[in-house]
Amino acid sequence: MKNIFCRLFLIQQLFAWFGAVLALGAAQERDKRPNIFFFFADDWGRYAGVYKENPVNQLVNTPAIDRVGLEGVRFTNAHVNAPSCTPSRSALFSGQYFYRTGRGAILRPAIWDESIPTFPLLLEKSGYFIGHTYKAWGPGVPANAPFGAKRTQFTGAGNRFNRFSQNVTKLVAKGANLDDAKERIYKECIDNFEAFLARRRATPEDATKPFCYYFGPTNTHRAWEKGSGKALWNLDPEKLKGRMPKFLPDVPEVRQDFCDYLGEVLALDAVLERFIAKLEAMGELDNTVIVLSGDHGIPGFPRAKCNLYNIGTEVALLVRWGDKVKGGRAVDDFINLMDLAPTFLEIGGEKPPACMTGRSILPLLLSDKNGQVDPARDYVITGRERHVERARADLTPYPQRAIRTKDFLYIRNFKPERWPAGDPYAWNAKKLPENFAEKSRDSRYAFADMDASPTKTWLMLHGAKPEWIVHWKYAFGKRPAEELYDLRTDPDCLVNVATDADYDKRRQTLAARMMEVLAQTNDPRATNGGGMFENPPFAGPGTEEIRKPR
């Protein structure tokens, strides 16, 4: 009997040992999960040499960004869910449509609901070491909450990159060589990344973890140094003549403004080159998923940021992952950036929570196909509620939803009686100050939902002239309840065919499809008339941003 018990004990121990070996093997296999390097630029849009179908991009040289696209996958139809900083990022981190994120659905005063799961914190819980530098989620309270807020923040080396052109210009004015001045600022970014890596190495447990690092520069957000495109990057604004969208006045002031923005894009490329070099030096490049994108279109230009036209919602999306992703591919499937949250979780071996409405693009990454890979990804839904809180005197939003397909863009404006770019204020009252051209960095004079810019200033000063009134209307004019654009013949969305009988069936089909998705995903605009977004705390009296005393 004693021998039997001994044998049973030995068998039990053997099973325990075997289980431990399996558990260790599973843990080791789990530790082989790839790192994630997420480069997400504020207001970037779709500007890079690798997207040469846009005539503007034919003037910029972005070798580092292009490398990621050429050695990985270039997505040609990636769009943000909302073309406004906070709601766009709410959708990004939560993997849900922006209107499902509570106070995260508006820009100001946004408050993050910490009961909403986000991919960075889920990855951290699963064993990733996470960290972020610069802007992750905001404006809002707590700042960068979906990425762990200050607890996971690494900015100690400096943040001068976020005002790149201004800071480089200052250094040069003090006697620095231009290239040296740039390098000083790039170095701050890499040093912040080094601090993140050093913290990861601080304990044996963390040192074995894969990392998820997020770099969120804001230099492509307003404002930047006037003339910096030429002064810092030798970009000639006159070469933009005839290349910009037709709704922009093709005049020197606007060309220079656009050129200065492209200079900031070149700064993104330059710092990315240094990040890639760092990953290569670490021997981690091919074990790292590099994802490049931005939160919406170009700021301070008509129909762009804060609008549902292509220039407002389309963004770059480039993904490189060593040998796991076949390079040199262009994928035409429609991507909503909320799709990245479940994608990152699946890359990390985690199952996305059921509340996520985004669909993982991992199958597209692992495919070897070009063009349309998944036939079901033939549309994207975008939308908008409130941007600047005082854009309208009654503190209301400009609610919109849209569906974008390969050939058409359908937009529903729920409150067409309102001004889409905000109330005219001083412009309508003809009370612009005499020196408005110099003071126009303040967007509150009029049309506050368009960022202050030289382009906006030019339109406000010249828009009443007969030859420019149509451009003024493109920028600031009221819009009908429905808009429909045939992108096959009208890529700049200039001719609204919503009332054209030849397009009636198409309009009805797109409208019905969009409203069905909105209803299925509990958009208040489809389920209760949008009352939630029309009243406090989202809009109306008492919903101004709470500003801290200076």
Side-chain angles (χ1 to χ4, degrees):
M1 182 66 70
K2 183 178 179 180
N3 288 338
I4 292 174
F5 280 118
C6 288
R7 289 174 183 173
L8 288 173
F9 176 76
L10 289 172
I11 292 171
Q12 185 180 32
Q13 292 295 102
L14 182 63
F15 274 109
W17 174 83
F18 187 62
V21 170
L22 288 177
L24 178 61
Q28 290 175 337
E29 186 62 32
R30 193 173 183 79
D31 287 343
K32 293 180 181 178
R33 291 178 296 174
N35 307 310
I36 295 170
F37 181 89
F38 190 16
F39 186 108
F40 196 72
D42 211 23
D43 296 28
W44 180 17
R46 192 179 292 162
Y47 300 98
V50 74
Y51 288 102
K52 289 192 180 298
E53 56 271 19
N54 182 345
V56 168
N57 289 335
Q58 295 167 17
L59 300 182
V60 296
N61 182 28
T62 52
I65 294 171
D66 296 356
R67 177 183 176 182
V68 174
L70 295 172
E71 295 180 0
V73 181
R74 173 173 66 99
F75 289 92
T76 64
N77 283 309
H79 291 257
V80 297
N81 185 216
S84 171
C85 295
T86 305
S88 174
R89 292 160 185 271
S90 295
L92 173 78
F93 289 116
S94 71
Q96 302 188 53
Y97 284 110
F98 80 98
Y99 47 74
R100 293 165 57 92
T101 62
R103 290 275 286 277
I106 60 174
L107 183 81
R108 297 190 305 206
I111 297 176
W112 182 250
D113 179 353
E114 294 190 359
S115 71
I116 298 173
T118 63
F119 82 79
L121 299 181
L122 290 172
L123 285 176
E124 182 181 43
K125 187 177 180 181
S126 79
Y128 270 77
F129 187 81
I130 71 169
H132 72 278
T133 295
Y134 306 148
K135 184 176 180 179
W137 179 83
V141 178
N144 300 332
F147 219 112
K150 291 184 178 180
R151 178 178 62 83
T152 63
Q153 176 178 289
F154 292 86
T155 57
N159 62 358
R160 286 188 294 177
F161 189 87
N162 290 331
R163 290 176 58 82
F164 185 86
S165 59
Q166 294 94 329
N167 285 316
V168 170
T169 301
K170 287 178 183 177
L171 289 171
V172 171
K174 292 178 180 179
N177 172 274
L178 176 59
D179 290 338
D180 290 343
K182 291 178 180 180
E183 286 297 338
R184 290 187 208 177
I185 294 177
Y186 302 145
K187 187 176 184 301
E188 289 183 355
C189 300
I190 303 305
D191 286 349
N192 284 323
F193 184 42
E194 289 273 16
F196 163 77
L197 296 171
R199 180 81 61 82
R200 174 173 168 255
R201 293 190 298 265
T203 67
E205 180 185 3
D206 287 340
T208 63
K209 293 178 179 179
F211 66 76
C212 174
Y213 179 74
Y214 170 98
F215 179 66
T218 63
N219 65 304
T220 35
H221 192 295
R222 296 281 175 177
W224 40 82
E225 191 75 14
K226 190 173 182 178
S228 57
K230 187 171 184 63
L232 305 186
W233 302 101
N234 200 31
L235 293 174
D236 183 358
E238 290 309 300
K239 289 186 178 179
L240 285 170
K241 191 171 184 177
R243 294 177 180 269
M244 298 185 301
K246 291 183 175 60
F247 48 80
L248 293 181
D250 200 347
V251 296
E253 293 87 345
V254 177
R255 291 194 290 269
Q256 178 179 275
D257 197 18
F258 212 122
C259 179
D260 293 343
Y261 171 81
L262 294 177
E264 300 294 336
V265 172
L266 296 187
L268 295 178
D269 185 77
V271 78
L272 175 64
E273 179 184 7
R274 285 148 181 81
F275 276 118
I276 291 175
K278 176 64 181 175
L279 290 169
E280 283 184 306
M282 294 165 57
E284 292 284 357
L285 179 61
D286 288 340
N287 187 43
T288 300
V289 183
I290 299 177
V291 180
L292 315 180
S293 195
D295 66 348
H296 50 68
I298 186 171
F301 287 86
R303 297 188 154 215
K305 177 181 180 179
C306 214
N307 288 270
L308 303 187
Y309 304 110
N310 290 342
I311 194 174
T313 66
E314 65 184 16
V315 289
L317 180 59
L318 305 163
V319 184
R320 184 192 188 280
W321 185 5
D323 294 335
K324 294 283 288 185
V325 168
K326 181 181 178 182
R329 291 190 295 130
V331 172
D332 298 331
D333 297 47
F334 278 83
I335 310 299
N336 189 316
L337 285 201
M338 69 176 177
D339 296 338
L340 292 180
T343 303
F344 288 137
L345 290 173
E346 288 191 356
I347 287 172
E350 295 300 310
K351 183 178 179 181
C355 62
M356 288 189 174
T357 49
R359 297 177 292 164
S360 170
I361 65 170
L362 186 57
L364 306 183
L365 295 175
L366 299 181
S367 169
D368 61 358
K369 296 179 181 178
N370 285 282
Q372 188 77 31
V373 178
D374 180 355
R377 287 185 175 272
D378 62 344
Y379 75 97
V380 68
I381 299 289
T382 60
R384 167 194 172 189
E385 284 294 333
R386 196 169 84 169
H387 189 63
V388 173
E389 69 278 13
R390 289 188 175 273
R392 290 158 207 87
D394 56 2
L395 307 180
T396 53
Y398 189 78
Q400 299 177 284
R401 302 291 185 272
I403 182 169
R404 168 75 155 82
T405 66
K406 176 184 176 184
D407 295 329
F408 291 93
L409 172 64
Y410 171 82
I411 302 174
R412 175 71 188 276
N413 300 310
F414 291 96
K415 299 291 182 180
E417 69 276 11
R418 297 175 185 167
W419 292 91
D423 287 348
Y425 292 139
W427 188 91
N428 201 44
K430 298 181 180 180
K431 291 184 178 180
L432 292 176
E434 291 183 6
N435 61 340
F436 176 65
E438 287 73 37
K439 295 183 66 175
S440 60
R441 287 194 174 187
D442 186 347
S443 67
R444 292 172 294 179
Y445 282 112
F447 311 115
D449 271 347
M450 183 188 296
D451 287 8
S453 69
T455 295
K456 180 179 178 180
T457 298
W458 192 94
L459 281 162
M460 290 175 66
L461 293 175
H462 296 82
K465 298 178 181 178
E467 64 268 35
W468 299 113
I469 189 65
V470 65
H471 289 85
W472 185 95
K473 289 180 179 178
Y474 288 147
F476 308 121
K478 290 185 177 180
R479 300 167 187 169
E482 292 183 290
E483 300 176 69
L484 178 64
Y485 300 97
D486 187 338
L487 302 175
R488 297 169 297 185
T489 58
D490 182 24
D492 287 333
C493 302
L494 302 180
V495 181
N496 180 14
V497 297
T499 58
D500 189 325
D502 292 340
Y503 288 90
D504 193 54
K505 185 176 180 180
R506 177 70 66 177
R507 177 187 60 79
Q508 292 183 44
T509 300
L510 288 170
R513 188 178 186 187
M514 182 185 79
M515 294 306 293
E516 181 182 13
V517 174
L518 299 183
Q520 289 175 347
T521 53
N522 297 315
D523 183 348
R525 290 289 171 190
T527 57
N528 69 1
M532 182 182 90
F533 288 129
E534 294 291 329
N535 294 289
F538 294 90
T543 60
E544 298 93 339
E545 182 185 25
I546 300 172
R547 298 181 184 274
K548 296 179 180 179
R550 291 185 181 275

